[in-house]
CSV table of all heavy atoms in Angstrom, one decimal:
chain,number,residue,atom,x,y,z
A,133,GLU,N,-2.5,22.1,23.2
A,133,GLU,CA,-3.8,22.7,23.4
A,133,GLU,C,-4.2,23.4,22.1
A,133,GLU,O,-5.4,23.5,21.8
A,133,GLU,CB,-3.7,23.7,24.5
A,133,GLU,CG,-3.6,23.0,25.9
A,133,GLU,CD,-3.2,23.9,27.0
A,133,GLU,OE1,-4.0,24.8,27.3
A,133,GLU,OE2,-2.1,23.7,27.6
A,134,VAL,N,-3.3,23.9,21.3
A,134,VAL,CA,-3.6,24.5,20.0
A,134,VAL,C,-2.6,24.0,19.0
A,134,VAL,O,-1.4,23.9,19.2
A,134,VAL,CB,-3.5,26.0,20.1
A,134,VAL,CG1,-3.8,26.6,18.7
A,134,VAL,CG2,-4.4,26.6,21.1
A,135,ILE,N,-3.1,23.6,17.8
A,135,ILE,CA,-2.3,23.2,16.7
A,135,ILE,C,-2.4,24.4,15.7
A,135,ILE,O,-3.5,24.8,15.2
A,135,ILE,CB,-2.8,21.9,16.0
A,135,ILE,CG1,-2.5,20.8,17.0
A,135,ILE,CG2,-2.0,21.7,14.7
A,135,ILE,CD1,-3.2,19.5,16.6
A,136,VAL,N,-1.3,25.0,15.4
A,136,VAL,CA,-1.3,26.1,14.4
A,136,VAL,C,-0.9,25.6,13.0
A,136,VAL,O,0.1,25.0,12.8
A,136,VAL,CB,-0.3,27.2,14.8
A,136,VAL,CG1,-0.3,28.4,13.8
A,136,VAL,CG2,-0.7,27.8,16.2
A,137,VAL,N,-1.8,25.8,12.1
A,137,VAL,CA,-1.8,25.3,10.8
A,137,VAL,C,-1.2,26.4,9.9
A,137,VAL,O,-1.8,27.5,9.7
A,137,VAL,CB,-3.2,24.9,10.3
A,137,VAL,CG1,-3.2,24.5,8.8
A,137,VAL,CG2,-3.8,23.8,11.2
A,138,LEU,N,0.0,26.3,9.4
A,138,LEU,CA,0.7,27.3,8.6
A,138,LEU,C,0.5,27.1,7.1
A,138,LEU,O,1.2,26.3,6.5
A,138,LEU,CB,2.2,27.3,9.0
A,138,LEU,CG,2.6,27.6,10.4
A,138,LEU,CD1,4.0,27.3,10.7
A,138,LEU,CD2,2.3,29.0,10.8
A,139,GLY,N,-0.4,27.9,6.5
A,139,GLY,CA,-0.5,27.9,5.1
A,139,GLY,C,-1.4,26.8,4.5
A,139,GLY,O,-1.9,25.9,5.3
A,140,ALA,N,-1.6,26.8,3.2
A,140,ALA,CA,-2.6,26.0,2.5
A,140,ALA,C,-2.3,24.5,2.6
A,140,ALA,O,-3.2,23.7,2.7
A,140,ALA,CB,-2.7,26.4,1.1
A,141,THR,N,-1.0,24.1,2.5
A,141,THR,CA,-0.7,22.7,2.5
A,141,THR,C,-1.0,22.0,3.8
A,141,THR,O,-1.7,21.0,3.9
A,141,THR,CB,0.8,22.5,2.2
A,141,THR,OG1,1.1,23.0,0.9
A,141,THR,CG2,1.2,21.0,2.2
A,142,ALA,N,-0.6,22.6,4.9
A,142,ALA,CA,-1.0,22.1,6.2
A,142,ALA,C,-2.5,22.1,6.4
A,142,ALA,O,-3.0,21.2,7.0
A,142,ALA,CB,-0.3,22.9,7.3
A,143,ALA,N,-3.2,23.2,5.9
A,143,ALA,CA,-4.6,23.2,6.0
A,143,ALA,C,-5.3,22.1,5.3
A,143,ALA,O,-6.2,21.5,5.7
A,143,ALA,CB,-5.1,24.6,5.5
A,144,LYS,N,-4.7,21.8,4.1
A,144,LYS,CA,-5.3,20.6,3.3
A,144,LYS,C,-5.1,19.3,4.1
A,144,LYS,O,-6.0,18.4,4.1
A,144,LYS,CB,-4.6,20.5,2.0
A,144,LYS,CG,-5.1,21.4,0.9
A,144,LYS,CD,-4.4,21.3,-0.4
A,144,LYS,CE,-4.8,22.4,-1.3
A,144,LYS,NZ,-3.7,22.8,-2.2
A,145,ALA,N,-3.9,19.2,4.8
A,145,ALA,CA,-3.7,18.0,5.5
A,145,ALA,C,-4.6,17.8,6.7
A,145,ALA,O,-5.0,16.7,7.1
A,145,ALA,CB,-2.2,17.9,6.0
A,146,LEU,N,-5.0,18.9,7.4
A,146,LEU,CA,-5.7,18.8,8.6
A,146,LEU,C,-7.1,19.3,8.6
A,146,LEU,O,-7.9,18.9,9.4
A,146,LEU,CB,-4.9,19.6,9.7
A,146,LEU,CG,-3.6,19.0,10.1
A,146,LEU,CD1,-2.8,19.9,11.0
A,146,LEU,CD2,-3.8,17.7,10.8
A,147,LEU,N,-7.4,20.2,7.6
A,147,LEU,CA,-8.8,20.7,7.6
A,147,LEU,C,-9.5,20.4,6.3
A,147,LEU,O,-10.7,20.8,6.2
A,147,LEU,CB,-8.7,22.3,7.8
A,147,LEU,CG,-8.2,22.7,9.2
A,147,LEU,CD1,-7.4,23.9,9.1
A,147,LEU,CD2,-9.4,22.9,10.0
A,148,GLY,N,-8.9,19.7,5.4
A,148,GLY,CA,-9.6,19.2,4.2
A,148,GLY,C,-9.4,20.2,3.1
A,148,GLY,O,-8.9,21.3,3.3
A,149,PRO,N,-9.7,19.8,1.9
A,149,PRO,CA,-9.4,20.6,0.6
A,149,PRO,C,-10.2,21.8,0.5
A,149,PRO,O,-9.8,22.7,-0.3
A,149,PRO,CB,-9.7,19.6,-0.5
A,149,PRO,CG,-10.6,18.5,0.1
A,149,PRO,CD,-10.3,18.5,1.5
A,150,THR,N,-11.3,22.0,1.2
A,150,THR,CA,-12.2,23.1,0.9
A,150,THR,C,-11.9,24.3,1.9
A,150,THR,O,-12.4,25.4,1.7
A,150,THR,CB,-13.7,22.8,1.1
A,150,THR,OG1,-13.9,22.3,2.4
A,150,THR,CG2,-14.1,21.7,0.1
A,151,PHE,N,-11.0,24.0,2.9
A,151,PHE,CA,-10.7,25.1,3.8
A,151,PHE,C,-9.9,26.2,3.1
A,151,PHE,O,-9.0,25.9,2.3
A,151,PHE,CB,-9.8,24.5,5.0
A,151,PHE,CG,-9.6,25.5,6.1
A,151,PHE,CD1,-10.5,25.6,7.1
A,151,PHE,CD2,-8.5,26.3,6.1
A,151,PHE,CE1,-10.3,26.5,8.1
A,151,PHE,CE2,-8.3,27.2,7.1
A,151,PHE,CZ,-9.2,27.3,8.2
A,152,ARG,N,-10.2,27.5,3.4
A,152,ARG,CA,-9.5,28.6,2.8
A,152,ARG,C,-8.8,29.4,3.9
A,152,ARG,O,-9.5,30.1,4.7
A,152,ARG,CB,-10.4,29.5,2.0
A,152,ARG,CG,-11.0,28.8,0.8
A,152,ARG,CD,-9.9,28.7,-0.3
A,152,ARG,NE,-10.4,27.8,-1.4
A,152,ARG,CZ,-10.1,26.5,-1.5
A,152,ARG,NH1,-9.5,25.9,-0.5
A,152,ARG,NH2,-10.6,25.8,-2.5
A,153,VAL,N,-7.5,29.4,4.0
A,153,VAL,CA,-6.8,30.1,5.0
A,153,VAL,C,-7.1,31.6,5.0
A,153,VAL,O,-7.3,32.2,6.1
A,153,VAL,CB,-5.2,29.9,4.8
A,153,VAL,CG1,-4.5,30.7,5.8
A,153,VAL,CG2,-4.9,28.4,5.0
A,154,THR,N,-7.2,32.1,3.8
A,154,THR,CA,-7.4,33.6,3.7
A,154,THR,C,-8.7,34.0,4.4
A,154,THR,O,-8.9,35.1,4.9
A,154,THR,CB,-7.4,34.0,2.3
A,154,THR,OG1,-8.2,33.1,1.5
A,154,THR,CG2,-6.0,34.1,1.7
A,155,ARG,N,-9.7,33.1,4.3
A,155,ARG,CA,-11.0,33.4,4.8
A,155,ARG,C,-11.2,33.0,6.3
A,155,ARG,O,-11.9,33.7,7.0
A,155,ARG,CB,-12.1,32.7,4.0
A,155,ARG,CG,-13.2,33.6,3.6
A,155,ARG,CD,-14.2,32.8,2.7
A,155,ARG,NE,-13.7,32.5,1.4
A,155,ARG,CZ,-14.1,31.4,0.7
A,155,ARG,NH1,-15.0,30.6,1.2
A,155,ARG,NH2,-13.6,31.2,-0.5
Side-chain angles (χ1 to χ4, degrees):
E133 289 167 62
V134 181
I135 295 170
V136 178
V137 175
L138 298 168
T141 297
K144 277 180 193 150
L146 291 171
L147 291 144
T150 60
F151 188 88
R152 291 290 168 268
V153 173
T154 45
R155 228 177 291 153

